[in-house]
Amino acid sequence: MNLPPKTYIIEAEEAKSMAKSKNLTLPQLLPSLIKSAQNLANPPISNFAVGVVGLTSDGRIFFGGNIEFPGLPLHHTIHGEQFFITNLAAHAAGAKLLYLAVSAAPCGHCRQFFQELRGISDTQIVITDQPQENPDYKPFSSILPHPFGPFDLLDENTPLILEKHNNQLTLKDGNFIIQDEKMCDLPNGFSDLNAKNEEFFKTEASAAARGSHAPPKDGNFINQDENTFDLSNGFCKLIAKNKEFLKSEALAAARGSHAPYSGCPSGVALMDCEGKVYKGSYMESAAYNPSMMPVQAALVAYMVAGGGGYEKIVAAVVVEKEGVVVRQEDTARLVLKHLSPKCGACVGPTVFLSKGGIIRKEGGCV
Amino acid sequence: MNLPPKTYIIEAEEAKSMAKSKNLTLPQLLPSLIKSAQNLANPPISNFAVGVVGLTSDGRIFFGGNIEFPGLPLHHTIHGEQFFITNLAAHAAGAKLLYLAVSAAPCGHCRQFFQELRGISDTQIVITDQPQENPDYKPFSSILPHPFGPFDLLDENTPLILEKHNNQLTLKDGNFIIQDEKMCDLPNGFSDLNAKNEEFFKTEASAAARGSHAPPKDGNFINQDENTFDLSNGFCKLIAKNKEFLKSEALAAARGSHAPYSGCPSGVALMDCEGKVYKGSYMESAAYNPSMMPVQAALVAYMVAGGGGYEKIVAAVVVEKEGVVVRQEDTARLVLKHLSPKCEFRVVYCN
């Protein structure tokens, strides 16, 4: 199967023609895509590459691979299945997961995390490294009988992953201007904002790029065409320009966050050295520990969008409620400081409060 | 079942007589102990108390309850089953887990962590909140079919939890004196050291307790009966006296650490305001994320030994290898700073 090297999503039309050309049904196509999925993995600790491919009710195919982080404790690991679910959550809101192929038996942690998808019991799964030649699909319930799940703790009407979340959050930062008031009307709460702001983005990125490497002629920090170079990575000005957008993306991610167990939604937005912004939502598990941390979710978005190398991440914003029972700030800071040391030095995760809190702190250019 | 309020272990003799008095077999006894297990839980976030009770091949009964930490991310949560396994690992080295009762269906994270016990597929499990009146035991394999486990990554001879680990570790700290060279010969690597040092311990703790709350009369930091008060918690002198023991306990815990996937064993020792030391070993899962962090493991030891309140933890030592692929230091510091802000925190590297 000759897919481009890093394929994370196949749209419905292409999926259909791919299947047709191989004389397969869409479900039958998935196992043939497993090797491509494994190529997305980056597991330098275990060298055990896990590939995940799934088919949604709207005919699209999504991919996931496991990501390990040398130097961090193992609970920061992104499993292939979690990568897959995060990819799904960002792009397939409103759809259902019908078929799933995995390169190896999912671990219990992942079988648990899948419970956050309504109706997962009926999703058909095939494990492609099984001894038999052509392993069959079987219902997901068969690999986690008598599960512990969301409805052991929540009312059945509570939205789960892929369903619309209604986190009513506003930033307490007085200078913040919401770019698009409508951004909460979408199922996942955020994907339209990126498109609307793309022009804004390009303008800003070009402005920064046009700047020469000469220091400003006078002391005033005004000229759009200049980069200031207070920082070794040179991105101070770019970050300042995009600060509002970074915050709005992190807020959008927090609004789409699945956190019904703690009531502590959270979002992270990352900016790379080209000024592009990627965001991820915190997604909880009924079993708590398998929850997907927001930095990791944003890193998935970064990888899915073709971002390259953690050192290119130059700014990050974390949005969460202040002083609540589950707090991401310190852990997010720990992870980002480790993956992209200059990111922390420049702006640092900037935490803003929503609904009833106060602005706690804001990193500045150092 | 009238057990003392916080029972974490029932010895074989007592378990036998308990069962006899109720005219039950030992396996049949376990479900009746579930409520006691749930009383060990401290889940202020979910208010969902999970109790776990298990019977080992040497006839002992172990307990576990879930512990949640408001203010920390959810991955710091200790599940009832993980508490149970940590309790087991500290006290039942060499034994096998035969029967297990849980108050609710174990989550996938825990079903995964149990894979670190060799032969878990055959362990009999009963879930006591099931609809039927008297739910039956069934093999653990039935709740995690086709599991992902240790031997998907490791050679079958690699020691698992409850089996002797051979982490050859020594501290890089030149001043360190190993109290007992033999402490690595025990299956779990450390439980005998505690007994040997108990006398030393009592002496030291009494010495500290004898000290009045008056500052030293002169500048010299010598007198055994004085507490210095450089720190607001007043335990500076006690910590200094017990510093070597804290380090040796953390090293012992690291030596008993189950870390075959990363090759990064780690141990944590905590000291409370009475000078008592509790230790816990880092225990990995084949699936990585369900791994039991060493601070959490030490907190389990603290609770099992009857320790009360995190704020009474005044000193902590983390032992791990320096600059390796999996590092506990920053996360351990984050957790302890949150639970006991005045706690003195040290990392000692080993190789």
Side-chain angles (χ1 to χ4, degrees):
Chain A
M1 172 73 21
N2 290 341
L3 286 176
K6 298 267 186 182
T7 299
Y8 293 95
I9 304 172
I10 301 176
E11 296 298 335
E13 279 308 312
E14 191 187 346
K16 238 193 294 190
S17 63
M18 230 185 242
K20 192 170 174 186
S21 72
K22 299 192 115 206
N23 213 16
L24 296 170
T25 64
L26 281 169
Q28 289 169 337
L29 182 65
L30 300 190
S32 69
L33 301 172
I34 278 291
K35 281 212 155 32
S36 297
Q38 282 176 295
N39 286 339
L40 306 176
N42 179 18
I45 303 176
S46 70
N47 294 309
F48 188 89
V50 173
V52 180
V53 196
L55 174 69
T56 52
S57 50
D58 54 3
R60 285 188 289 171
I61 294 176
F62 291 85
F63 291 73
N66 56 327
I67 310 291
E68 295 168 359
F69 299 103
L72 288 175
L74 292 181
H75 55 264
H76 287 287
T77 307
I78 304 174
H79 285 231
E81 296 87 337
Q82 286 182 300
F83 190 118
F84 170 84
I85 292 171
T86 304
N87 191 11
L88 205 67
H91 298 100
K96 276 228 169 270
L97 178 65
L98 299 181
Y99 292 88
L100 188 66
V102 284
S103 59
C107 75
H109 162 95
C110 289
R111 299 183 197 194
Q112 183 62 51
F113 194 59
F114 268 110
Q115 304 305 306
E116 301 306 308
L117 296 177
R118 194 182 300 266
I120 186 64
S121 293
D122 300 327
T123 298
Q124 299 293 310
I125 180 170
V126 64
I127 301 165
T128 61
D129 71 349
Q130 281 184 330
Q132 60 266 43
E133 184 66 26
N134 280 314
D136 260 341
Y137 279 101
K138 50 188 179 175
F140 198 96
S141 55
S142 68
I143 67 164
L144 197 70
H146 196 156
F148 177 80
F151 307 127
D152 284 289
L153 299 174
L154 306 169
D155 178 85
E156 290 210 8
N157 293 319
T158 316
L160 300 188
I161 292 178
L162 296 185
E163 298 170 348
K164 183 171 171 188
H165 284 72
N166 292 312
N167 302 317
Q168 301 291 326
L169 304 173
T170 51
L171 295 186
K172 292 301 281 189
D173 172 7
N175 292 330
F176 177 72
I177 300 161
I178 296 178
Q179 298 286 340
D180 181 350
E181 289 285 352
K182 291 179 64 174
M183 71 184 172
C184 272
D185 292 350
L186 296 166
N188 63 4
F190 58 73
S191 57
D192 199 42
L193 180 62
N194 222 358
K196 284 187 188 293
N197 276 302
E198 213 176 287
E199 280 315 308
F200 169 73
F201 235 2
K202 287 182 190 161
T203 312
E204 294 301 290
S206 313
R210 273 199 306 277
S212 71
H213 283 262
K217 296 203 170 54
D218 60 14
N220 290 337
F221 184 75
I222 300 171
N223 192 326
Q224 263 199 359
D225 290 335
E226 285 167 2
N227 283 320
T228 59
F229 289 89
D230 295 333
L231 299 169
S232 54
N233 68 2
F235 290 104
C236 187
K237 188 87 187 289
L238 180 62
I239 291 162
K241 282 183 186 295
N242 282 327
K243 204 169 70 166
E244 291 310 311
F245 186 64
L246 252 183
K247 282 194 294 188
S248 77
E249 286 290 85
L251 175 66
R255 282 175 169 167
S257 166
H258 172 66
Y261 308 103
S262 68
C264 302
S266 173
V268 165
L270 307 172
M271 190 177 86
D272 69 11
C273 54
E274 295 174 17
K276 285 195 186 149
V277 173
Y278 312 87
K279 61 184 173 295
S281 302
Y282 172 54
M283 292 183 290
E284 287 182 340
S285 158
Y288 282 25
N289 298 52
S291 298
M292 184 69 175
M293 289 182 267
V295 170
Q296 272 80 345
L299 289 171
V300 167
Y302 181 57
M303 290 180 265
V304 167
Y310 306 131
E311 73 290 347
K312 292 191 179 170
I313 295 168
V314 298
V317 171
V318 177
V319 166
E320 63 175 351
K321 294 182 182 179
E322 185 174 35
V324 290
V325 78
V326 169
R327 299 198 278 270
Q328 307 297 332
E329 179 183 352
D330 292 337
T331 300
R333 204 187 290 281
L334 188 158
V335 175
L336 287 163
K337 186 174 112 167
H338 175 78
L339 293 180
S340 185
K342 288 181 179 171
C343 170
C346 175
V347 174
T350 307
V351 181
F352 295 88
L353 282 253
S354 57
K355 270 189 79 154
I358 53 168
I359 295 174
R360 192 148 43 142
K361 60 172 78 84
E362 176 177 328
C365 291
V366 170
Chain B
M1 173 72 19
N2 288 342
L3 285 176
K6 298 267 187 182
T7 299
Y8 292 95
I9 303 171
I10 301 177
E11 296 299 334
E13 278 309 312
E14 192 188 344
K16 237 192 294 189
S17 62
M18 231 186 241
K20 193 171 172 185
S21 73
K22 298 191 117 211
N23 213 15
L24 296 170
T25 63
L26 280 169
Q28 288 169 335
L29 182 65
L30 300 190
S32 68
L33 300 172
I34 278 290
K35 283 217 154 30
S36 296
Q38 282 176 293
N39 285 339
L40 306 174
N42 179 17
I45 303 176
S46 69
N47 293 309
F48 188 88
V50 173
V52 180
V53 195
L55 175 70
T56 51
S57 49
D58 55 2
R60 287 186 290 170
I61 294 177
F62 291 85
F63 291 72
N66 57 327
I67 310 292
E68 295 168 359
F69 299 102
L72 288 174
L74 292 181
H75 57 262
H76 287 287
T77 307
I78 303 174
H79 283 231
E81 296 87 336
Q82 285 181 300
F83 190 118
F84 170 84
I85 291 170
T86 305
N87 191 13
L88 204 69
H91 299 102
K96 279 228 165 266
L97 178 65
L98 300 181
Y99 292 87
L100 189 65
V102 285
S103 59
C107 74
H109 161 95
C110 288
R111 300 183 198 194
Q112 183 62 53
F113 194 60
F114 267 110
Q115 303 306 307
E116 301 305 307
L117 296 176
R118 194 182 300 267
I120 186 64
S121 292
D122 300 326
T123 298
Q124 299 293 310
I125 180 170
V126 65
I127 301 165
T128 61
D129 71 350
Q130 279 184 331
Q132 59 265 45
E133 183 66 29
N134 281 314
D136 260 342
Y137 280 100
K138 50 187 180 177
F140 198 96
S141 55
S142 67
I143 66 165
L144 197 70
H146 197 156
F148 176 81
F151 307 125
D152 284 292
L153 299 175
L154 306 170
D155 177 86
E156 291 212 6
N157 293 319
T158 317
L160 300 190
I161 293 179
L162 296 186
E163 297 169 350
K164 183 172 171 186
H165 285 73
N166 291 313
N167 302 317
Q168 302 291 329
L169 304 172
T170 51
L171 295 186
K172 285 178 162 180
D173 174 4
N175 292 331
F176 178 71
I177 300 162
I178 295 177
Q179 297 287 342
D180 182 349
E181 290 287 350
K182 291 179 64 174
M183 69 184 170
C184 270
D185 292 350
L186 297 167
N188 65 3
F190 58 72
S191 59
D192 200 42
L193 179 62
N194 222 358
K196 284 188 187 294
N197 278 305
E198 214 178 285
E199 278 318 306
F200 170 73
F201 234 2
K202 288 183 188 156
T203 312
E204 293 301 290
S206 315
R210 273 199 307 276
S212 70
H213 284 264
K217 295 206 169 57
D218 61 9
N220 292 334
F221 182 78
I222 301 173
N223 192 329
Q224 264 200 358
D225 290 338
E226 285 169 0
N227 283 320
T228 59
F229 291 87
D230 296 334
L231 298 172
S232 54
N233 66 2
F235 289 105
C236 187
K237 189 86 187 290
L238 183 62
I239 292 164
K241 281 184 186 296
N242 282 327
K243 204 168 69 164
E244 292 309 310
F245 186 64
L246 252 183
K247 282 195 294 190
S248 76
E249 285 291 84
L251 175 66
R255 283 174 168 167
S257 166
H258 173 65
Y261 308 103
S262 67
C264 304
S266 173
V268 165
L270 306 173
M271 190 178 86
D272 70 10
C273 55
E274 295 175 17
K276 286 192 185 154
V277 174
Y278 313 87
K279 62 184 173 295
S281 302
Y282 172 52
M283 292 183 291
E284 286 182 339
S285 158
Y288 282 24
N289 298 52
S291 299
M292 184 69 174
M293 290 182 267
V295 171
Q296 272 79 344
L299 289 172
V300 167
Y302 181 58
M303 289 181 264
V304 168
Y310 306 131
E311 73 290 348
K312 291 189 178 171
I313 296 168
V314 298
V317 170
V318 176
V319 166
E320 63 175 352
K321 294 180 179 177
E322 186 170 25
V324 289
V325 79
V326 170
R327 301 198 278 269
Q328 308 296 330
E329 176 182 350
D330 292 337
T331 300
R333 185 177 285 118
L334 189 159
V335 175
L336 286 163
K337 187 173 113 170
H338 175 76
L339 294 180
S340 185
K342 289 181 177 173
C343 174
E344 188 190 85
F345 180 87
R346 260 185 255 261
V347 179
V348 181
Y349 298 117
C350 64
N351 45 21

